Amino acid sequence: MTKEEYKKLFKEDDAVGWLAIDKQLESIYGTQEPRHYAPPLHFAIGGEDPIDGTSIYESEKQIPHLHMVSYGMSQLYYDEEQAGGEFSKWGFEFTFRIKPFSEDNGSDPTWAIQVMNNLARYVFESKRWFEPYHFIPAKGPIRLETATDIVGVAFVPDPELGMIQTPHGEVTFLQMVGLTTKEVERLLAKPQTGEVEKLINEMRESNPLLITDLDRVD
């Protein structure tokens, strides 16, 4: 898409990239209205959270779980200078599938939104982005002050949302997958990308959607 084509298709107040994400989510969830969480102050004007918003969908596939999707790692708003780019800003958005956890007491896992923001802050500050089959130790439980053995995160292409082409370029939906202490130690001992993919493929055998369960032990 050329800049001129872009200017003909969109207006300056269009959330071009946001709408592209919504369109992909509608292909999975139809008319389901997600619960949406946004920071009180936008990052561009001094807010602390880089992610502009997070939508939470309810899925009954495999087991009942919450499917969270970020908005903010890709270019969400009108920007004719990014028309037809190879990648839209960082080229991905976070997703996270979480089995309801008893200590959330029926509430949405807003702690997971903070995990996403912490990871996003790392990307914005370091200028280093995540790709499929990267992993990162959390140096403790991913849900703070929780007796869970999930202490790390791997990144995989979301099995339903995959990758899309937007007017600003490619966006991959990178799903976060919780890792146990034993799994993190295994990956640290063999940090090659191939070992992460091998582990994820093993997990897929019993958990094809790679849903994170904070009660899981290894």
Side-chain angles (χ1 to χ4, degrees):
M1 178 180 292
T2 66
K3 183 187 293 189
E4 291 307 311
E5 290 171 335
Y6 185 94
K7 291 165 70 174
K8 287 179 181 178
L9 279 173
F10 305 110
K11 303 186 294 294
E12 290 189 6
D13 59 353
D14 286 341
V16 178
W18 193 300
L19 292 171
I21 294 170
D22 282 349
K23 182 178 179 182
Q24 183 71 345
L25 285 161
E26 287 168 9
S27 73
I28 304 297
Y29 290 107
T31 59
Q32 182 183 149
E33 284 292 331
R35 295 182 295 281
H36 190 79
Y37 293 83
L41 187 64
H42 195 285
F43 190 66
I45 56 173
E48 295 183 355
D49 292 338
I51 292 173
D52 291 35
T54 305
S55 285
I56 302 180
Y57 290 83
E58 296 191 9
S59 176
E60 297 296 321
K61 295 177 182 176
Q62 189 175 309
I63 60 171
H65 66 277
L66 301 176
H67 191 188
M68 310 176 70
V69 182
S70 75
Y71 292 76
M73 304 307 294
S74 60
Q75 178 59 38
L76 300 177
Y77 308 109
Y78 181 97
D79 187 344
E80 60 193 50
E81 297 304 320
Q82 292 202 33
E86 183 178 3
F87 298 100
S88 177
K89 198 155 75 177
W90 298 108
F92 70 91
E93 291 290 351
F94 294 114
T95 77
F96 206 0
R97 296 174 187 268
I98 302 177
K99 180 181 177 181
F101 182 57
S102 60
E103 291 184 37
D104 287 330
N105 297 314
S107 299
D108 284 328
T110 53
W111 58 267
I113 297 174
Q114 196 53 53
V115 174
M116 287 183 177
N117 273 297
N118 290 341
L119 294 168
R121 202 170 293 110
Y122 164 81
V123 172
F124 277 78
E125 292 175 356
S126 70
K127 305 296 189 287
R128 299 174 66 182
W129 56 89
F130 298 112
E131 296 181 5
Y133 305 110
H134 283 179
F135 81 99
I136 186 167
K139 299 181 180 179
I142 63 169
R143 187 184 189 277
L144 298 178
E145 300 178 1
T146 302
T148 176
D149 192 41
I150 303 300
V151 295
V153 172
F155 302 93
V156 303
D158 188 292
E160 289 187 301
L161 297 174
M163 183 269 288
I164 58 173
Q165 291 293 338
T166 78
H168 300 138
E170 181 179 301
V171 175
T172 297
F173 293 93
L174 270 189
Q175 182 171 316
M176 299 158 55
V177 181
L179 302 175
T180 64
T181 300
K182 185 176 179 180
E183 289 163 348
V184 169
E185 290 173 349
R186 168 182 168 179
L187 297 181
L188 288 172
K190 297 181 179 180
Q192 306 94 331
T193 299
E195 189 67 20
V196 180
E197 187 169 5
K198 181 180 178 181
L199 171 61
I200 292 297
N201 285 336
E202 292 170 8
M203 295 173 70
R204 283 191 177 108
E205 293 178 7
S206 59
N207 181 11
L209 289 179
L210 298 169
I211 297 165
T212 293
D213 178 0
L214 292 187
D215 290 319
R216 183 169 71 91
V217 293
D218 189 2

